[in-house]
Amino acid sequence: YWVDATVVPLAGPDGLPQEYIAIRTDITARKAFEGQLADQLHFVEVLLEATPTAIYLKDIHGRYLRFNKAFEDLFGVQRGQWIGKTIFDVASPEAASFMNAKDQELLVHKQVQTYEAAFTHRISGEKREALYWKAPLTNAAGEVTALVGTVLDITAKNRAEQEKWPEPVG
Protein backbone atom coordinates (compact mmCIF):
# COMPACT_ATOMS: atom_id res chain seq x y z
CA TYR A 1 0.00 0.00 0.00
CA TRP A 2 1.01 3.61 -0.48
CA VAL A 3 1.30 6.26 2.23
CA ASP A 4 1.96 9.97 2.24
CA ALA A 5 4.14 10.74 5.22
CA THR A 6 5.14 13.94 7.00
CA VAL A 7 7.87 13.73 9.63
CA VAL A 8 8.45 16.61 12.04
CA PRO A 9 11.43 16.62 14.43
CA LEU A 10 10.92 17.74 18.03
CA ALA A 11 13.98 19.43 19.47
CA GLY A 12 15.35 18.61 22.89
CA PRO A 13 16.82 21.13 25.38
CA ASP A 14 20.07 21.16 23.39
CA GLY A 15 18.24 22.17 20.21
CA LEU A 16 18.90 18.88 18.45
CA PRO A 17 16.13 16.52 17.33
CA GLN A 18 15.11 14.36 20.26
CA GLU A 19 11.88 12.84 18.98
CA TYR A 20 9.97 12.71 15.75
CA ILE A 21 6.27 12.89 15.02
CA ALA A 22 5.10 11.18 11.86
CA ILE A 23 1.74 11.62 10.19
CA ARG A 24 0.92 9.02 7.58
CA THR A 25 -2.05 8.98 5.29
CA ASP A 26 -3.06 5.96 3.23
CA ILE A 27 -3.04 7.08 -0.43
CA THR A 28 -3.38 3.66 -2.05
CA ALA A 29 -6.73 4.55 -3.64
CA ARG A 30 -5.30 7.81 -5.02
CA LYS A 31 -2.32 5.98 -6.52
CA ALA A 32 -4.64 3.42 -8.14
CA PHE A 33 -6.73 6.29 -9.59
CA GLU A 34 -3.59 8.03 -10.88
CA GLY A 35 -2.57 4.79 -12.62
CA GLN A 36 -6.00 4.45 -14.23
CA LEU A 37 -5.92 8.08 -15.32
CA ALA A 38 -2.45 7.63 -16.85
CA ASP A 39 -3.71 4.57 -18.75
CA GLN A 40 -6.73 6.51 -20.04
CA LEU A 41 -4.59 9.46 -21.13
CA HIS A 42 -2.24 7.09 -22.94
CA PHE A 43 -5.25 5.51 -24.69
CA VAL A 44 -6.50 8.94 -25.80
CA GLU A 45 -3.03 9.87 -27.08
CA VAL A 46 -2.74 6.63 -29.09
CA LEU A 47 -6.29 7.06 -30.41
CA LEU A 48 -5.61 10.68 -31.41
CA GLU A 49 -2.46 9.77 -33.30
CA ALA A 50 -3.96 6.66 -34.94
CA THR A 51 -7.16 8.37 -36.10
CA PRO A 52 -7.09 9.03 -39.85
CA THR A 53 -9.11 12.23 -39.41
CA ALA A 54 -7.15 15.46 -38.97
CA ILE A 55 -7.78 16.77 -35.43
CA TYR A 56 -6.50 19.99 -33.88
CA LEU A 57 -6.81 22.09 -30.73
CA LYS A 58 -6.51 25.90 -30.52
CA ASP A 59 -6.62 28.17 -27.50
CA ILE A 60 -9.06 31.10 -27.32
CA HIS A 61 -6.39 33.36 -28.83
CA GLY A 62 -6.22 31.17 -31.94
CA ARG A 63 -2.86 29.56 -31.19
CA TYR A 64 -2.47 25.93 -32.22
CA LEU A 65 -1.88 23.87 -29.09
CA ARG A 66 -1.74 20.44 -30.72
CA PHE A 67 -2.79 18.36 -33.66
CA ASN A 68 -2.41 14.79 -34.78
CA LYS A 69 -0.39 13.04 -37.49
CA ALA A 70 -3.37 13.08 -39.86
CA PHE A 71 -3.41 16.91 -39.63
CA GLU A 72 0.28 17.04 -40.48
CA ASP A 73 -0.26 14.76 -43.48
CA LEU A 74 -3.39 16.55 -44.73
CA PHE A 75 -1.78 19.98 -44.79
CA GLY A 76 1.85 18.95 -45.36
CA VAL A 77 3.11 20.60 -42.18
CA GLN A 78 5.21 19.68 -39.16
CA ARG A 79 4.08 20.30 -35.59
CA GLY A 80 7.16 22.27 -34.66
CA GLN A 81 6.35 24.79 -37.39
CA TRP A 82 2.74 25.41 -36.27
CA ILE A 83 2.42 24.76 -32.52
CA GLY A 84 2.06 28.10 -30.71
CA LYS A 85 1.30 29.98 -33.92
CA THR A 86 -1.98 31.45 -35.15
CA ILE A 87 -3.58 31.03 -38.55
CA PHE A 88 -2.19 34.49 -39.44
CA ASP A 89 1.33 33.07 -39.02
CA VAL A 90 0.79 30.10 -41.33
CA ALA A 91 -1.81 30.96 -43.97
CA SER A 92 -2.44 33.60 -46.60
CA PRO A 93 -4.03 36.80 -45.30
CA GLU A 94 -7.32 36.02 -47.07
CA ALA A 95 -7.53 32.44 -45.74
CA ALA A 96 -6.39 33.54 -42.27
CA SER A 97 -9.07 36.24 -42.08
CA PHE A 98 -11.77 33.77 -43.08
CA MET A 99 -10.64 31.09 -40.58
CA ASN A 100 -10.21 33.64 -37.78
CA ALA A 101 -13.71 35.02 -38.39
CA LYS A 102 -15.10 31.48 -38.13
CA ASP A 103 -13.15 30.91 -34.88
CA GLN A 104 -14.41 34.18 -33.39
CA GLU A 105 -17.97 33.30 -34.34
CA LEU A 106 -17.59 29.96 -32.59
CA LEU A 107 -16.17 31.56 -29.44
CA VAL A 108 -19.04 34.07 -29.28
CA HIS A 109 -21.94 31.73 -30.08
CA LYS A 110 -20.43 28.63 -28.42
CA GLN A 111 -22.00 26.35 -31.02
CA VAL A 112 -20.62 23.64 -33.26
CA GLN A 113 -19.68 24.81 -36.76
CA THR A 114 -19.51 22.91 -40.02
CA TYR A 115 -18.38 24.44 -43.28
CA GLU A 116 -16.35 23.77 -46.41
CA ALA A 117 -13.20 25.64 -47.37
CA ALA A 118 -10.31 25.19 -49.77
CA PHE A 119 -6.66 24.89 -48.78
CA THR A 120 -3.31 24.26 -50.43
CA HIS A 121 -1.13 21.30 -49.42
CA ARG A 122 2.17 22.82 -48.25
CA ILE A 123 4.45 20.25 -49.89
CA SER A 124 2.69 19.36 -53.15
CA GLY A 125 1.04 22.76 -53.75
CA GLU A 126 -2.16 20.93 -54.68
CA LYS A 127 -5.43 22.75 -54.11
CA ARG A 128 -7.71 20.67 -51.88
CA GLU A 129 -11.19 21.03 -50.41
CA ALA A 130 -12.09 20.22 -46.84
CA LEU A 131 -15.04 19.88 -44.53
CA TYR A 132 -14.29 21.62 -41.24
CA TRP A 133 -16.06 20.74 -38.00
CA LYS A 134 -15.31 22.88 -34.92
CA ALA A 135 -16.65 22.85 -31.39
CA PRO A 136 -16.00 24.90 -28.26
CA LEU A 137 -14.05 23.15 -25.51
CA THR A 138 -15.34 24.17 -22.09
CA ASN A 139 -14.15 23.73 -18.54
CA ALA A 140 -16.28 22.47 -15.63
CA ALA A 141 -17.74 25.97 -15.16
CA GLY A 142 -18.94 26.03 -18.77
CA GLU A 143 -16.40 28.65 -19.88
CA VAL A 144 -14.90 28.21 -23.34
CA THR A 145 -11.19 27.55 -22.91
CA ALA A 146 -10.30 26.38 -26.42
CA LEU A 147 -11.73 25.06 -29.62
CA VAL A 148 -11.31 21.62 -31.09
CA GLY A 149 -11.74 20.78 -34.72
CA THR A 150 -11.58 18.09 -37.34
CA VAL A 151 -10.83 18.43 -41.02
CA LEU A 152 -11.93 15.93 -43.66
CA ASP A 153 -10.49 16.01 -47.17
CA ILE A 154 -13.53 16.06 -49.48
CA THR A 155 -11.67 16.86 -52.70
CA ALA A 156 -12.34 13.46 -54.31
CA LYS A 157 -15.99 13.50 -53.25
CA ASN A 158 -16.55 16.98 -54.69
CA ARG A 159 -14.79 16.08 -57.95
CA ALA A 160 -16.87 12.92 -58.30
CA GLU A 161 -20.05 14.93 -57.75
CA GLN A 162 -19.00 17.47 -60.37
CA GLU A 163 -18.32 14.68 -62.90
CA LYS A 164 -21.67 13.08 -62.13
CA TRP A 165 -23.56 16.36 -62.46
CA PRO A 166 -21.85 18.42 -65.15
CA GLU A 167 -22.39 22.15 -65.23
CA PRO A 168 -25.32 23.16 -67.45
CA VAL A 169 -24.32 24.50 -70.82
CA GLY A 170 -25.68 27.85 -71.98
Side-chain angles (χ1 to χ4, degrees):
Y1 70 96
W2 287 87
V3 294
D4 187 13
T6 302
V7 179
V8 179
L10 298 176
D14 58 1
L16 297 174
Q18 182 176 348
E19 297 179 72
Y20 295 90
I21 295 177
I23 301 170
R24 297 185 338 168
T25 305
D26 183 353
I27 59 167
T28 306
R30 186 182 90 196
K31 284 293 194 180
F33 178 74
E34 288 172 356
Q36 291 172 347
L37 182 59
D39 290 345
Q40 290 174 2
L41 289 173
H42 178 70
F43 168 75
V44 169
E45 184 66 28
V46 169
L47 182 64
L48 180 67
E49 287 303 311
T51 298
T53 301
I55 300 171
Y56 64 95
L57 175 68
K58 288 183 184 178
D59 68 14
I60 59 172
H61 304 292
R63 290 184 299 256
Y64 286 94
L65 299 176
R66 75 174 303 169
F67 47 82
N68 65 354
K69 177 81 170 103
F71 186 97
E72 287 181 299
D73 295 342
L74 180 63
F75 290 98
V77 299
Q78 295 177 351
R79 287 172 219 220
Q81 296 171 340
W82 275 37
I83 298 299
K85 295 184 178 175
T86 71
I87 194 70
F88 291 102
D89 298 321
V90 296
S92 71
E94 181 181 291
S97 292
F98 173 77
M99 297 299 274
N100 183 62
K102 293 303 243 178
D103 288 354
Q104 294 309 310
E105 180 183 315
L106 178 123
L107 294 172
V108 169
H109 298 292
K110 302 177 185 178
Q111 295 178 339
V112 172
Q113 289 179 343
T114 306
Y115 59 90
E116 292 184 23
F119 69 94
T120 302
H121 189 274
R122 295 299 176 105
I123 296 171
S124 70
E126 182 183 6
K127 296 284 185 192
R128 312 285 301 167
E129 297 169 4
L131 175 65
Y132 289 79
W133 177 91
K134 296 180 183 180
L137 185 63
T138 57
N139 61 17
E143 301 164 329
V144 176
T145 59
L147 66 86
V148 62
T150 63
V151 187
L152 296 174
D153 187 341
I154 58 171
T155 307
K157 177 192 88 62
N158 286 354
R159 287 180 185 159
E161 286 177 358
Q162 288 172 356
E163 289 171 9
K164 183 178 178 181
W165 306 104
E167 291 292 319
V169 178

